[in-house]
Amino acid sequence: MAEAPVLVGGLSEPVPLAALLVARLLEFNQWPSRLLHPARAQAVWTEQELAQQGRSASLDRVLHLRASRRLLAQLGSDAMPVTQLNAPALPLALMASDLQLLLVRRVGLMALGKLLSSLIAKAQVVQAREDLGRESMDWAIAHALQWPESGWLHPVLQLQQGWTAKADLLGSAVLARSWQQAPAPLRRRADWSLAPQACELVLPETITEVQARTLCLSQLAEMEPAWLLLFPPQ
């Protein structure tokens, strides 16, 4: 199956995957401030801390330690570490941020595929192609999701102006649904990596958690198959 033109790269660091998994699990459990979506930063960091970031590695470590302690305190009893590698959504929750961005864009394009294929007005088609790029738009149409309901797209179409922003929000919402019923220590930490808007977007119940997770895992398997080999088969 052809790759989406916009989706290039994957795991960016040349680190052995087993070591990367250990590092990601430790970071996920103990350093959640490092995984925060940028849209959540102001709710966690003080203005002074934001101004101090980047001055030195040692200072950044102290700042992240403080912020992570505050975040874990918010979890209360859900702050217990995630240790079970057989949790179905864990490969998605532990993805590096660059890989997550690629995945949500890919899933979002697929979610928009049917709508993009239905555009008739020339101005709409031109706008979509300019925003997404011709190849990405063609890929989205060719790989459009065949989920029966389309009404879940309407809030996104109203809230977001650009097609790229629409794709990212939709893909993030599907990813959030993929771990919606996971144990709270996993789900609440994983949600922090996504924009609040994505976690708040109400998807229809007909798009089940299993359906969303299967879609995301299937796309991840195409993008970075070696990563999934580190986890027990489902």
PDB file of all heavy atoms in Angstrom, residues 33-51:
ATOM      1  N   SER A  33       5.792  15.869  32.142  1.00  0.00           N
ATOM      2  CA  SER A  33       5.896  17.234  31.607  1.00  0.00           C
ATOM      3  C   SER A  33       6.635  17.263  30.278  1.00  0.00           C
ATOM      4  O   SER A  33       6.465  18.189  29.488  1.00  0.00           O
ATOM      5  CB  SER A  33       6.598  18.151  32.616  1.00  0.00           C
ATOM      6  OG  SER A  33       7.958  17.794  32.764  1.00  0.00           O
ATOM      7  N   ARG A  34       7.455  16.254  30.020  1.00  0.00           N
ATOM      8  CA  ARG A  34       8.197  16.193  28.756  1.00  0.00           C
ATOM      9  C   ARG A  34       7.321  15.750  27.596  1.00  0.00           C
ATOM     10  O   ARG A  34       7.726  15.867  26.433  1.00  0.00           O
ATOM     11  CB  ARG A  34       9.387  15.244  28.900  1.00  0.00           C
ATOM     12  CG  ARG A  34      10.468  15.747  29.853  1.00  0.00           C
ATOM     13  CD  ARG A  34      11.577  14.729  29.986  1.00  0.00           C
ATOM     14  NE  ARG A  34      12.689  15.245  30.791  1.00  0.00           N
ATOM     15  CZ  ARG A  34      13.739  14.519  31.168  1.00  0.00           C
ATOM     16  NH1 ARG A  34      13.814  13.242  30.818  1.00  0.00           N
ATOM     17  NH2 ARG A  34      14.690  15.066  31.894  1.00  0.00           N
ATOM     18  N   LEU A  35       6.155  15.222  27.897  1.00  0.00           N
ATOM     19  CA  LEU A  35       5.275  14.673  26.869  1.00  0.00           C
ATOM     20  C   LEU A  35       4.087  15.576  26.573  1.00  0.00           C
ATOM     21  O   LEU A  35       3.258  15.251  25.741  1.00  0.00           O
ATOM     22  CB  LEU A  35       4.767  13.293  27.313  1.00  0.00           C
ATOM     23  CG  LEU A  35       5.830  12.303  27.781  1.00  0.00           C
ATOM     24  CD1 LEU A  35       5.172  11.015  28.266  1.00  0.00           C
ATOM     25  CD2 LEU A  35       6.816  12.010  26.678  1.00  0.00           C
ATOM     26  N   LEU A  36       3.996  16.690  27.259  1.00  0.00           N
ATOM     27  CA  LEU A  36       2.835  17.565  27.141  1.00  0.00           C
ATOM     28  C   LEU A  36       2.672  18.128  25.729  1.00  0.00           C
ATOM     29  O   LEU A  36       3.632  18.563  25.093  1.00  0.00           O
ATOM     30  CB  LEU A  36       2.962  18.745  28.096  1.00  0.00           C
ATOM     31  CG  LEU A  36       2.579  18.547  29.555  1.00  0.00           C
ATOM     32  CD1 LEU A  36       2.829  19.849  30.302  1.00  0.00           C
ATOM     33  CD2 LEU A  36       1.136  18.113  29.700  1.00  0.00           C
ATOM     34  N   HIS A  37       1.431  18.157  25.276  1.00  0.00           N
ATOM     35  CA  HIS A  37       1.126  18.873  24.046  1.00  0.00           C
ATOM     36  C   HIS A  37       1.348  20.366  24.296  1.00  0.00           C
ATOM     37  O   HIS A  37       1.024  20.869  25.384  1.00  0.00           O
ATOM     38  CB  HIS A  37      -0.322  18.613  23.641  1.00  0.00           C
ATOM     39  CG  HIS A  37      -0.668  19.149  22.301  1.00  0.00           C
ATOM     40  ND1 HIS A  37      -1.014  20.476  22.092  1.00  0.00           N
ATOM     41  CD2 HIS A  37      -0.728  18.554  21.076  1.00  0.00           C
ATOM     42  CE1 HIS A  37      -1.268  20.667  20.809  1.00  0.00           C
ATOM     43  NE2 HIS A  37      -1.108  19.525  20.172  1.00  0.00           N
ATOM     44  N   PRO A  38       1.883  21.090  23.324  1.00  0.00           N
ATOM     45  CA  PRO A  38       2.139  22.523  23.530  1.00  0.00           C
ATOM     46  C   PRO A  38       0.919  23.309  24.003  1.00  0.00           C
ATOM     47  O   PRO A  38       1.051  24.279  24.759  1.00  0.00           O
ATOM     48  CB  PRO A  38       2.603  22.998  22.144  1.00  0.00           C
ATOM     49  CG  PRO A  38       3.197  21.783  21.520  1.00  0.00           C
ATOM     50  CD  PRO A  38       2.380  20.631  22.018  1.00  0.00           C
ATOM     51  N   ALA A  39      -0.277  22.905  23.584  1.00  0.00           N
ATOM     52  CA  ALA A  39      -1.486  23.625  23.973  1.00  0.00           C
ATOM     53  C   ALA A  39      -1.777  23.495  25.464  1.00  0.00           C
ATOM     54  O   ALA A  39      -2.585  24.247  26.008  1.00  0.00           O
ATOM     55  CB  ALA A  39      -2.687  23.122  23.169  1.00  0.00           C
ATOM     56  N   ARG A  40      -1.143  22.550  26.131  1.00  0.00           N
ATOM     57  CA  ARG A  40      -1.363  22.343  27.560  1.00  0.00           C
ATOM     58  C   ARG A  40      -0.289  23.021  28.415  1.00  0.00           C
ATOM     59  O   ARG A  40      -0.395  23.022  29.645  1.00  0.00           O
ATOM     60  CB  ARG A  40      -1.381  20.846  27.880  1.00  0.00           C
ATOM     61  CG  ARG A  40      -2.505  20.069  27.203  1.00  0.00           C
ATOM     62  CD  ARG A  40      -2.466  18.607  27.595  1.00  0.00           C
ATOM     63  NE  ARG A  40      -3.485  17.822  26.929  1.00  0.00           N
ATOM     64  CZ  ARG A  40      -4.714  17.597  27.401  1.00  0.00           C
ATOM     65  NH1 ARG A  40      -5.059  18.106  28.571  1.00  0.00           N
ATOM     66  NH2 ARG A  40      -5.587  16.862  26.726  1.00  0.00           N
ATOM     67  N   ALA A  41       0.724  23.566  27.803  1.00  0.00           N
ATOM     68  CA  ALA A  41       1.881  24.060  28.548  1.00  0.00           C
ATOM     69  C   ALA A  41       1.523  25.157  29.541  1.00  0.00           C
ATOM     70  O   ALA A  41       1.969  25.140  30.692  1.00  0.00           O
ATOM     71  CB  ALA A  41       2.956  24.552  27.583  1.00  0.00           C
ATOM     72  N   GLN A  42       0.719  26.128  29.118  1.00  0.00           N
ATOM     73  CA  GLN A  42       0.431  27.265  29.983  1.00  0.00           C
ATOM     74  C   GLN A  42      -0.344  26.876  31.234  1.00  0.00           C
ATOM     75  O   GLN A  42      -0.311  27.594  32.233  1.00  0.00           O
ATOM     76  CB  GLN A  42      -0.327  28.332  29.198  1.00  0.00           C
ATOM     77  CG  GLN A  42       0.531  29.038  28.163  1.00  0.00           C
ATOM     78  CD  GLN A  42      -0.178  30.201  27.522  1.00  0.00           C
ATOM     79  OE1 GLN A  42      -1.403  30.304  27.583  1.00  0.00           O
ATOM     80  NE2 GLN A  42       0.578  31.091  26.902  1.00  0.00           N
ATOM     81  N   ALA A  43      -1.041  25.733  31.154  1.00  0.00           N
ATOM     82  CA  ALA A  43      -1.786  25.283  32.326  1.00  0.00           C
ATOM     83  C   ALA A  43      -0.886  24.559  33.327  1.00  0.00           C
ATOM     84  O   ALA A  43      -1.321  24.277  34.443  1.00  0.00           O
ATOM     85  CB  ALA A  43      -2.916  24.355  31.896  1.00  0.00           C
ATOM     86  N   VAL A  44       0.345  24.287  32.936  1.00  0.00           N
ATOM     87  CA  VAL A  44       1.252  23.502  33.786  1.00  0.00           C
ATOM     88  C   VAL A  44       2.454  24.328  34.241  1.00  0.00           C
ATOM     89  O   VAL A  44       2.851  24.280  35.402  1.00  0.00           O
ATOM     90  CB  VAL A  44       1.736  22.252  33.035  1.00  0.00           C
ATOM     91  CG1 VAL A  44       2.789  21.494  33.844  1.00  0.00           C
ATOM     92  CG2 VAL A  44       0.568  21.342  32.712  1.00  0.00           C
ATOM     93  N   TRP A  45       3.002  25.102  33.310  1.00  0.00           N
ATOM     94  CA  TRP A  45       4.209  25.857  33.602  1.00  0.00           C
ATOM     95  C   TRP A  45       3.872  27.274  34.047  1.00  0.00           C
ATOM     96  O   TRP A  45       2.942  27.887  33.534  1.00  0.00           O
ATOM     97  CB  TRP A  45       5.101  25.950  32.361  1.00  0.00           C
ATOM     98  CG  TRP A  45       5.565  24.637  31.826  1.00  0.00           C
ATOM     99  CD1 TRP A  45       4.980  23.901  30.840  1.00  0.00           C
ATOM    100  CD2 TRP A  45       6.719  23.904  32.234  1.00  0.00           C
ATOM    101  NE1 TRP A  45       5.694  22.755  30.619  1.00  0.00           N
ATOM    102  CE2 TRP A  45       6.768  22.728  31.452  1.00  0.00           C
ATOM    103  CE3 TRP A  45       7.721  24.121  33.184  1.00  0.00           C
ATOM    104  CZ2 TRP A  45       7.776  21.786  31.585  1.00  0.00           C
ATOM    105  CZ3 TRP A  45       8.721  23.177  33.312  1.00  0.00           C
ATOM    106  CH2 TRP A  45       8.754  22.025  32.534  1.00  0.00           C
ATOM    107  N   THR A  46       4.653  27.806  34.959  1.00  0.00           N
ATOM    108  CA  THR A  46       4.528  29.217  35.309  1.00  0.00           C
ATOM    109  C   THR A  46       5.244  30.045  34.251  1.00  0.00           C
ATOM    110  O   THR A  46       6.070  29.524  33.485  1.00  0.00           O
ATOM    111  CB  THR A  46       5.152  29.501  36.678  1.00  0.00           C
ATOM    112  OG1 THR A  46       6.583  29.291  36.596  1.00  0.00           O
ATOM    113  CG2 THR A  46       4.563  28.586  37.748  1.00  0.00           C
ATOM    114  N   GLU A  47       4.947  31.331  34.202  1.00  0.00           N
ATOM    115  CA  GLU A  47       5.617  32.201  33.236  1.00  0.00           C
ATOM    116  C   GLU A  47       7.125  32.216  33.478  1.00  0.00           C
ATOM    117  O   GLU A  47       7.927  32.241  32.535  1.00  0.00           O
ATOM    118  CB  GLU A  47       5.056  33.620  33.335  1.00  0.00           C
ATOM    119  CG  GLU A  47       3.622  33.750  32.836  1.00  0.00           C
ATOM    120  CD  GLU A  47       3.166  35.191  32.808  1.00  0.00           C
ATOM    121  OE1 GLU A  47       4.021  36.092  33.025  1.00  0.00           O
ATOM    122  OE2 GLU A  47       1.970  35.425  32.583  1.00  0.00           O
ATOM    123  N   GLN A  48       7.519  32.204  34.731  1.00  0.00           N
ATOM    124  CA  GLN A  48       8.947  32.197  35.059  1.00  0.00           C
ATOM    125  C   GLN A  48       9.618  30.922  34.567  1.00  0.00           C
ATOM    126  O   GLN A  48      10.723  30.966  34.006  1.00  0.00           O
ATOM    127  CB  GLN A  48       9.140  32.331  36.565  1.00  0.00           C
ATOM    128  CG  GLN A  48      10.614  32.391  36.988  1.00  0.00           C
ATOM    129  CD  GLN A  48      10.774  32.531  38.497  1.00  0.00           C
ATOM    130  OE1 GLN A  48       9.807  32.371  39.240  1.00  0.00           O
ATOM    131  NE2 GLN A  48      11.975  32.839  38.930  1.00  0.00           N
ATOM    132  N   GLU A  49       8.947  29.788  34.747  1.00  0.00           N
ATOM    133  CA  GLU A  49       9.526  28.519  34.299  1.00  0.00           C
ATOM    134  C   GLU A  49       9.645  28.477  32.778  1.00  0.00           C
ATOM    135  O   GLU A  49      10.645  27.989  32.242  1.00  0.00           O
ATOM    136  CB  GLU A  49       8.671  27.360  34.792  1.00  0.00           C
ATOM    137  CG  GLU A  49       8.792  27.110  36.288  1.00  0.00           C
ATOM    138  CD  GLU A  49       7.800  26.098  36.795  1.00  0.00           C
ATOM    139  OE1 GLU A  49       6.733  25.912  36.145  1.00  0.00           O
ATOM    140  OE2 GLU A  49       8.063  25.481  37.841  1.00  0.00           O
ATOM    141  N   LEU A  50       8.640  28.991  32.099  1.00  0.00           N
ATOM    142  CA  LEU A  50       8.701  29.024  30.640  1.00  0.00           C
ATOM    143  C   LEU A  50       9.867  29.883  30.165  1.00  0.00           C
ATOM    144  O   LEU A  50      10.550  29.553  29.189  1.00  0.00           O
ATOM    145  CB  LEU A  50       7.384  29.557  30.070  1.00  0.00           C
ATOM    146  CG  LEU A  50       6.186  28.609  30.138  1.00  0.00           C
ATOM    147  CD1 LEU A  50       4.900  29.346  29.749  1.00  0.00           C
ATOM    148  CD2 LEU A  50       6.395  27.414  29.218  1.00  0.00           C
ATOM    149  N   ALA A  51      10.106  30.992  30.852  1.00  0.00           N
ATOM    150  CA  ALA A  51      11.204  31.891  30.476  1.00  0.00           C
ATOM    151  C   ALA A  51      12.559  31.259  30.751  1.00  0.00           C
ATOM    152  O   ALA A  51      13.547  31.573  30.071  1.00  0.00           O
ATOM    153  CB  ALA A  51      11.079  33.206  31.231  1.00  0.00           C
TER     154      ALA A  51
END
